[in-house]
Amino acid sequence: MSNSFGSFPLRENRLVRSPSLRLDSTGQSTTMPSHHHHHLHAALRPSPLPSSSSTQSFASKIIALLTLLPLSLAALAFVLQWKGDRGLTDPTAAHARWAPRGSHNHEIFPGMESSSSVLSTKPHHSSDCSSLVRSGSPSFPYFRDWKFDYDSNLRPKICITTSTSAGLNQILPWLYFHKVIGVSTFFLFVEGKAASPDVSEVLQSIPGVKVIYRTKELEEQQARSRIWNETWLSSFFYKPCNYELFVKQSLNMEMAIVMARDAGMDWILHLDTDEMMHPAGASEYSLRQLLLEIPGNVDMVIFPNYESSVERDDIKDPFSEVSMFKKNYDHLPKDSYFGMYKESTRGNPNYFLTYGNGKSAARIQEHLRPNGAHRWHNYMKTPNEVKLEEAAVLHYTYSKFSDLTSRRDRCGCKPTKEDVKRCFMLEFDRAAFIIASTATEEEMKNWYHEHVVWGDKELKLKLLRKGILTRIYSPMVIVQGLRESGVFSSVIASAETTLLKDNFLASIGSNNSAKAVGSESPPSRKMGGHREQQATGRKVLELDTKTAHEKAVPPLSPPGVDEIFAE
């Protein structure tokens, strides 16, 4: 019996009831076949350790799992990226939530309609548009197919006025960035490169953009402005360069107020095309939301300015390449500001290279007037103003090395210490003009590195920790997203198509319209006759002397270290 069970020993008393034994017909016990014994003992013996074959099977399953898991994750990533490449849902759809809370229509994106949804990388005739086309790097085109539709029920309605001679590579990113954050209308007073056909035709094709050329008619109209008979701007009259620009900006702002009122705007800002709004502190990154939260009794909102702090000398597109800014005095503790003043100025005349008194937005109302390029005022009252503690204007000043020569080329003053005082209001502008007019290319580069570029990593880290310097990425991300989505190239391509069509239609109807063309200028090149009569026929108001003669606010430097003792 023990042999039939092979090497598995039987335990005592356990075979009495074992089904391995059975009685035959004679009553004798017989033994079951050996294979029955094997199954019996397989059930009775303890489980043995896994055999080598089962170990190999388990290892094979692990290898298969490790192989399939990465493949599955790769497939999922491909599906997600494919969906992302289709772009985000058009925020003009009913479920979009880009309108600020509290406006009349919270479901509409606060922008303007672009001219075409067709994406194109066709180069424009202007040589400065290469930075506007999409790059070859992978991206998620979040702005693709966004219509920038603007709804008249959205409140508040915001407009920006500017005087510019820049090209499309600067104006388009600046303009569409402000569309994204809620600006609906732009009054562009153009001259120089901005007034050239290659640039102005693109700008005119964008909904919500009004292009005003510096024509003879415009100059004649502004020569009749009441500003020339008032004293608040008189100290800037008949002076060259920056003073002349300052007067021109004020006259343009005066005209923009009339256009903004006619367009039903609620707020107006004056910005240069090297300045971007940074609506920090609002519940959304939206200038519309920020101004919506301003109390109704406030007439003017002051935005302290931050100044770009470049870290290289080869920057081509500041809006996409600059992320470090020096904070304004108004947004810093006095101990930090004055305690780090020497390190912050790095031997320059002032804390900021250029101005430090910010820009402002004014509520559209009766008797509103400009008060220089930085402020607004009212003929009948002193405006109630507030200064915001987080929002700012980002000023990209001297952010490109070529800014040295471009500023020099716009001014015909002599590069002497005495003559530059006649032309420039700020000390750094004077020094930069002299260097750009007298130094060699290498000397200019060295001067730019010493006074503008932040190359000292330890100093940067120290000032970042103290809060003097700060990193702001939002404008960079938005502009890069617009570019990679083909927004800029689409606008340029659409304008070219429209121009070809218009030229064709104009050639067909030229004989019928010759008299009309000879009798009046194109409506986009000057203000309408009705507005001109309205401006010249304005009645003289009985003004409070103090209010009427509030002096224009020029660009001012931030407080100097010597003001510690003055306080």
Side-chain angles (χ1 to χ4, degrees):
M1 184 179 295
S2 61
N3 291 337
S4 64
F5 284 93
S7 60
F8 297 98
L10 294 178
R11 294 184 180 178
E12 191 175 358
N13 297 329
R14 290 198 178 180
L15 291 178
V16 176
R17 297 179 180 274
S18 173
S20 303
L21 301 179
R22 66 180 180 180
L23 297 177
D24 59 10
S25 58
T26 61
Q28 301 294 322
S29 64
T30 62
T31 304
M32 293 178 61
S34 62
H35 67 275
H36 289 288
H37 295 296
H38 174 73
H39 290 298
L40 172 63
H41 286 279
L44 293 175
R45 69 172 180 255
S47 298
L49 295 174
S51 65
S52 60
S53 61
S54 62
T55 302
Q56 292 177 354
S57 175
F58 178 74
S60 300
K61 292 180 181 180
I62 292 297
I63 293 173
L65 178 62
L66 294 177
T67 303
L68 291 175
L69 183 59
L71 293 176
S72 302
L73 293 176
L76 177 61
F78 175 79
V79 172
L80 293 177
Q81 184 168 354
W82 176 76
K83 289 185 177 181
D85 191 60
R86 297 173 60 190
L88 294 183
T89 305
D90 188 341
T92 60
H95 60 274
R97 294 176 53 85
W98 282 85
R101 288 182 291 273
S103 60
H104 292 286
N105 189 344
H106 185 62
E107 306 299 328
I108 303 298
F109 180 76
M112 304 297 299
E113 182 176 3
S114 59
S115 300
S116 173
S117 61
V118 179
L119 299 177
S120 172
T121 57
K122 179 180 178 182
H124 192 248
H125 296 305
S126 178
S127 60
D128 65 355
C129 298
S130 58
S131 63
L132 298 177
V133 298
R134 285 174 284 173
S135 68
S137 59
S139 65
F140 290 94
Y142 293 125
F143 294 98
R144 182 176 298 173
D145 296 329
W146 282 17
K147 304 303 180 183
F148 295 103
D149 285 332
Y150 173 69
D151 190 281
S152 60
N153 292 327
L154 285 173
R155 286 291 187 274
K157 294 183 182 179
I158 308 167
C159 66
I160 290 178
T161 180
T162 189
S163 303
T164 182
S165 59
L168 290 177
N169 63 326
Q170 180 171 323
I171 297 177
L172 285 184
W174 172 86
L175 191 150
Y176 273 92
F177 167 81
H178 287 103
K179 280 194 172 190
V180 168
I181 64 172
V183 178
S184 62
T185 305
F186 299 81
F187 302 115
L188 308 183
F189 291 82
V190 299
E191 52 186 300
K193 184 185 293 186
S196 66
D198 286 346
V199 176
S200 60
E201 286 157 0
V202 174
L203 298 177
Q204 285 179 308
S205 71
I206 302 173
V209 174
K210 308 297 181 184
V211 178
I212 303 97
Y213 298 85
R214 189 141 200 90
T215 61
K216 181 180 179 180
E217 291 84 359
L218 177 67
E219 291 179 348
E220 290 176 350
Q221 182 175 346
Q222 291 186 342
R224 296 189 291 269
S225 169
R226 64 184 295 175
I227 288 178
W228 296 100
N229 299 320
E230 298 168 353
T231 60
W232 58 270
L233 193 62
S234 59
S235 61
F236 299 89
F237 292 162
Y238 312 116
K239 294 181 181 180
C241 298
N242 277 13
Y243 292 90
E244 180 183 7
L245 174 62
F246 193 75
V247 173
K248 190 183 298 182
Q249 289 173 327
S250 299
L251 292 168
N252 292 342
M253 291 165 69
E254 182 187 46
M255 296 185 69
I257 291 172
V258 178
M259 291 187 285
R261 185 182 296 116
D262 291 347
M265 296 291 108
D266 299 306
W267 290 91
I268 184 170
L269 296 94
H270 174 262
L271 292 179
D272 297 330
T273 51
D274 63 351
E275 298 169 332
M276 281 187 166
M277 295 303 303
H278 177 53
S283 57
E284 302 171 3
Y285 195 77
S286 164
L287 182 61
R288 189 191 302 278
Q289 179 64 39
L290 187 70
L291 294 179
L292 182 68
E293 296 170 2
I294 298 296
N297 65 334
V298 173
D299 303 309
M300 183 167 64
V301 178
I302 298 174
F303 299 90
N305 62 294
Y306 291 5
E307 191 172 79
S308 61
S309 300
V310 299
E311 301 168 82
R312 309 191 323 266
D313 65 0
D314 60 348
I315 289 175
K316 302 299 181 185
D317 180 19
F319 297 148
S320 297
E321 299 179 58
V322 176
S323 64
M324 190 169 73
F325 296 85
K326 188 186 290 187
K327 295 180 71 173
N328 193 280
Y329 164 80
D330 290 319
H331 285 183
L332 289 171
K334 288 186 178 181
D335 292 344
S336 298
Y337 178 82
F338 290 115
M340 302 298 296
Y341 188 85
K342 183 177 180 180
E343 291 89 341
S344 302
T345 56
R346 300 187 304 158
N348 287 319
N350 294 293
Y351 174 78
F352 277 160
L353 301 182
T354 55
Y355 75 89
N357 53 331
K359 290 293 183 75
S360 61
R363 198 184 297 274
I364 299 295
Q365 53 189 275
E366 292 297 321
H367 313 302
L368 180 66
R369 72 161 172 86
N371 199 33
H374 296 259
R375 295 291 187 271
W376 306 87
H377 202 65
N378 194 293
Y379 280 111
M380 300 302 292
K381 66 178 182 178
T382 299
N384 181 25
E385 63 183 47
V386 295
K387 184 178 292 184
L388 299 185
E389 297 181 355
E390 295 182 69
V393 173
L394 305 180
H395 187 200
Y396 296 79
T397 185
Y398 289 99
S399 54
K400 297 185 292 184
F401 175 69
S402 60
D403 289 343
L404 284 178
T405 55
S406 63
R407 290 169 184 257
R408 174 200 65 193
D409 297 339
R410 291 198 301 266
C411 185
C413 288
K414 297 177 182 179
T416 63
K417 291 184 178 180
E418 290 303 320
D419 204 47
V420 293
K421 292 180 181 179
R422 209 170 48 87
C423 303
F424 299 97
M425 304 179 198
L426 300 173
E427 292 184 51
F428 187 87
D429 286 333
R430 297 169 183 170
F433 180 80
I434 293 175
I435 287 293
S437 303
T438 60
T440 64
E441 184 80 10
E442 183 178 356
E443 290 172 338
M444 289 171 57
K445 186 79 72 172
N446 292 335
W447 187 90
Y448 188 76
H449 270 274
E450 181 181 353
H451 294 274
V452 180
V453 178
W454 289 78
D456 189 333
K457 294 183 178 179
E458 291 185 3
L459 179 59
K460 282 192 298 185
L461 183 59
K462 181 179 181 181
L463 294 180
L464 284 167
R465 287 172 174 170
K466 291 290 184 178
I468 302 293
L469 296 176
T470 185
R471 295 283 184 182
I472 299 175
Y473 296 100
S474 300
M476 176 188 292
V477 171
I478 291 174
V479 170
Q480 288 178 347
L482 288 165
R483 178 180 293 106
E484 297 301 328
S485 300
V487 172
F488 305 143
S489 56
S490 175
V491 170
I492 294 172
S494 176
E496 290 177 339
T497 304
T498 303
L499 178 61
L500 292 174
K501 179 180 177 181
D502 291 346
N503 289 341
F504 175 73
L505 295 176
S507 64
I508 295 176
S510 59
N511 293 333
N512 296 331
S513 58
K515 293 183 179 180
V517 172
S519 61
E520 62 179 4
S521 300
S524 62
R525 291 184 174 267
K526 69 174 185 177
M527 302 293 294
H530 172 69
R531 288 198 188 100
E532 181 175 334
Q533 294 173 4
Q534 187 179 43
T536 57
R538 192 181 303 160
K539 294 182 178 180
V540 178
L541 300 174
E542 295 181 1
L543 305 175
D544 174 56
T545 303
K546 182 178 178 180
T547 301
H549 298 290
E550 181 75 22
K551 296 295 183 181
V553 178
L556 300 174
S557 297
V561 70
D562 56 337
E563 297 188 23
I564 299 177
F565 304 103
E567 295 180 358

